[in-house]
Amino acid sequence: MPAGFASIGVVGAGAWGTALANASARAGREVVLWGRDAEAIAAMARSRENRLHLPGVELAPAVTPTARLADLAGVDAVLMVVPAQASRAVAGELAPHLSAGIPLVTCAKGIERGTSLFMTQVLAEACPEATPAILSGPSFAADVAAGLPTAVTLAARDLDLAEGLAAALGSGSFRLYHSDDVRGVEIGGAAKNVLAIAAGIVGGRGLGASAGAALIARGFAELMRFGKAYGARAETLTGLSGLGDLILTCSTAQSRNYALGLDLGRAGGLHPSGRLAEGALTASALVAMADARGVDMPIARAVEAVLAGRSDIEQAIGSLLARPQKAEA
Ligand SMILES: NC(=O)C1=CN([C@@H]2O[C@H](COP(=O)(O)OP(=O)(O)OC[C@H]3O[C@@H](n4cnc5c(N)ncnc54)[C@H](OP(=O)(O)O)[C@@H]3O)[C@@H](O)[C@H]2O)C=CC1
Ligand SMILES: O=C(CO)COP(=O)(O)O
């Protein structure tokens, strides 16, 4: 068993937070799982199941649910698993309970609207005493919770810290690779959700498997261009958290972002399902950041225009197909 990180705090008792709490317990950690809804947390503590967000999965004995952030004081590392747009506010409330230097690992996938900051930048501002890190990669909560084989990347600026955290959280079925390319890992997770909405639209419109594959390849070209403009390493963008997660999320309606695109493609309008689709919240920031550095992202731009109601699906598809044919890059 690796030294250190005997206890893990998980902030956010949604599907992913609950799955990560169980995965951490499976790796031998004691886990405190925080959720904001005291009633739901009490029910979870009684039933040992997160019936709202991860039904049918038994909570591991080493997981203690709580609705009090103060109960995270003293843990050795914290996984931040609330939605991207809520991360700043929750991290700010958490900050007074954390010891100096504690690793604070964002597991959310998105860019903050309004500030255009990546998740580790948001945590660095909200919890300046903590050490930001990120966990991201192709991993549905249900798969991880079921103990199906999954591989993700954990990145911190200090490679030894990333390696230590990966060793502490990983198990036979939940494999963690480590990296010091924090920016690369967070760009992949944020961008792929926007592109997955486009893939869902292609599926919902019945444009065919060939168009779906073209969308993934051209979407990946956008992700690469954006990543390079914002300092990511190519090998990170082609790895688990970039290409790996793009393929997963663009391939199945198990993804909420893809499912949102499916609905848009079939019905042509936005029908809010109430389910979290981070890409819909990140699209405008992604496009604004692409514009700021002159990065060409026609697919992401088309998604943003559809979501904002400035374009209908037919117009968006038409404008993509009308682009001049050019050298592949
Ligand atoms: N699900 C998955 O397979 C994966 C998800 N992720 C990422 O993890 C993040 C969380 O997603 P996921 O767990 O699936 O989402 P869920 O919709 O399952 O759960 C979201 C959780 O966040 C809580 N929450 C929402 N807003 C706030 C807020 N303002 N303050 C505090 N808590 C809040 C919700 O509480 P309440 O129940 O009270 O509303 C709920 O517990 C996202 O960024 C997602 O991209 C990453 C990899 C896999
Ligand atoms: O990030 C995910 C899988 O890696 C989950 O994707 P969705 O949020 O689209 O469901």
Side-chain angles (χ1 to χ4, degrees), residues 109 137-140 192-193 245 248-249 254-257:
K109 296 175 178 174
S139 50
F140 287 127
K192 66 88 190 175
N193 280 336
D245 212 357
L248 175 71
T249 320
Q254 198 178 338
S255 153
R256 296 161 297 187
N257 288 284

Side-chain angles (χ1 to χ4, degrees), residues 11-20 34-38 40 44 50 52-54 80-87 89-90 93 106-110 119 135-144 152 189 192-193 245 248 254-257 274-279:
V11 172
W16 191 220
T18 306
L20 285 173
W34 175 88
R36 65 175 170 177
D37 182 339
M44 201 189 308
N50 185 340
L52 182 59
H53 293 296
L54 199 62
M80 282 294 295
V81 207
V82 293
Q85 308 307 325
S87 290
V90 178
E93 287 175 43
T106 175
C107 307
K109 296 175 178 174
M119 284 298 105
L135 182 159
S136 190
S139 50
F140 287 127
D143 295 348
V144 171
V152 300
K192 66 88 190 175
N193 280 336
D245 212 357
L248 175 71
Q254 198 178 338
S255 153
R256 296 161 297 187
N257 288 284
R275 295 204 300 162
L276 178 67
E278 290 281 28

Side-chain angles (χ1 to χ4, degrees), residues 85 110-117 226 230 281-291 304:
Q85 308 307 325
I111 298 170
E112 190 177 52
R113 292 158 77 95
T115 62
S116 292
L117 289 178
F226 183 91
Y230 279 90
L281 303 167
T282 281
S284 57
L286 184 73
V287 168
M289 291 174 78
D291 285 346
E304 190 277 328

